[in-house]
Amino acid sequence: EIVLTQSPATLSLSPGERATLSCRASQSVSSYLAWYQQKPGQAPRLLIYDASNRATGIPARFSGSGSGTDFTLTISSLEPEDFAVYYCQQRSNWPRLYTFGQGTKLEIK
Amino acid sequence: QVQLQQWGAGLLKPSETLSLTCAVYGGSFSDYYWSWIRQPPGKGLEWIGEINHSGSTNDNPSLKSRVTIAVDTSKNQFSLKLSSVTAADTAVYFCARGGVLSHYYGMDVWGQGTTVTVSS
């Protein structure tokens, strides 16, 4: 089973700053790497799929990059509504399984 | 606009069977995989399993075959049963739309979540 490790666990930044969130896989993953945002009491929201493609309706300040075992979610200039928990997720092909990282909490400094 | 609406019992006793259903409104039911995910209080997300319209399933081995996922294509619904529940199964359970059959575009539509508590 592929394990995803996210860092940092908590990131404290101010609105307007740039956020860089990391997701590292225990072995090379396919391009099936996604990022989600979750706010308290809500379901997760898909931000990025295929490591670097923004989902429908996601603002351009969100971008994803990476391949192999190292992936990054970047938020270019934080808006107040961006403070939330972020998860990466991968889908392996054989066996067909999905795993999530443990999450990064992005909090207001 | 695709919407998922889920329901099921919210309070169970240890050893009982959890049962949840998710209805899909709008969009194509047959083109996608449909997943169940859970989130224990204050913790992260755990994928439980998925199913497609033909009934083909995949599930998380960590749940040790306690999982049964079924589909009712006549109603565009899919369901989750988790047997022999314990307090460790207390969580918010979500249903979600997964990728199309040929590619994974992420889980882009989610149900509202159902809080399930296991307590004697």
Side-chain angles (χ1 to χ4, degrees):
Chain A
E1 178 184 332
I2 297 175
V3 176
L4 299 179
T5 301
Q6 293 186 239
S7 62
T10 303
L11 184 58
S12 300
L13 294 170
S14 300
E17 290 193 293
R18 181 184 186 91
T20 302
L21 287 67
S22 174
C23 176
R24 178 163 290 178
S26 58
Q27 57 186 281
S28 183
V29 305
S30 67
S31 64
Y32 294 159
L33 191 288
W35 288 93
Y36 299 84
Q37 176 194 69
Q38 188 180 30
K39 297 180 179 178
Q42 297 184 14
R45 173 194 182 197
L46 176 66
L47 300 174
I48 301 288
Y49 65 91
D50 281 354
S52 61
N53 293 308
R54 275 190 302 277
T56 303
I58 301 303
R61 64 181 182 272
F62 291 91
S63 64
S65 63
S67 64
T69 60
D70 290 298
F71 298 87
T72 300
L73 174 69
T74 301
I75 310 171
S76 58
S77 179
L78 286 165
E79 297 287 342
E81 62 267 27
D82 297 337
F83 292 92
V85 179
Y86 291 83
Y87 294 95
C88 59
Q89 179 208 42
Q90 68 86 32
R91 195 205 86 182
S92 57
N93 290 325
W94 299 107
R96 187 179 165 112
L97 291 175
Y98 302 78
T99 53
F100 290 90
Q102 82 281 14
T104 289
K105 181 179 182 180
L106 179 56
E107 64 178 24
I108 300 176
K109 188 173 182 179
Chain B
Q1 182 79 1
V2 180
Q3 292 186 337
L4 304 185
Q5 184 170 353
Q6 57 182 105
W7 65 89
L11 181 60
L12 297 172
K13 291 181 167 49
S15 80
E16 292 185 332
T17 296
L18 178 157
S19 181
L20 299 174
T21 301
C22 183
V24 179
Y25 298 101
S28 169
F29 186 77
S30 61
D31 287 343
Y32 293 87
Y33 272 90
W34 303 92
S35 276
W36 290 99
I37 300 101
R38 70 180 182 179
Q39 185 170 37
K43 296 187 177 180
L45 301 163
E46 180 184 29
W47 176 73
I48 299 169
E50 67 176 357
I51 193 166
N52 67 12
H53 72 286
S54 65
S56 176
T57 59
N58 298 287
D59 57 59
N60 191 331
S62 71
L63 292 168
K64 294 182 170 57
S65 301
R66 294 192 293 132
V67 171
T68 301
I69 298 175
V71 67
D72 185 340
T73 54
S74 68
K75 296 180 180 179
N76 282 5
Q77 294 177 1
F78 61 107
S79 62
L80 169 69
K81 291 189 187 300
L82 181 65
S83 63
S84 303
V85 298
T86 69
D89 296 310
T90 293
V92 177
Y93 286 74
F94 296 99
C95 57
R97 186 174 78 170
V100 296
L101 301 185
S102 59
H103 191 83
Y104 181 59
Y105 294 106
M107 295 179 181
D108 62 341
V109 185
W110 293 66
Q112 77 276 20
T114 300
T115 299
V116 176
T117 302
V118 180
S119 174
S120 55

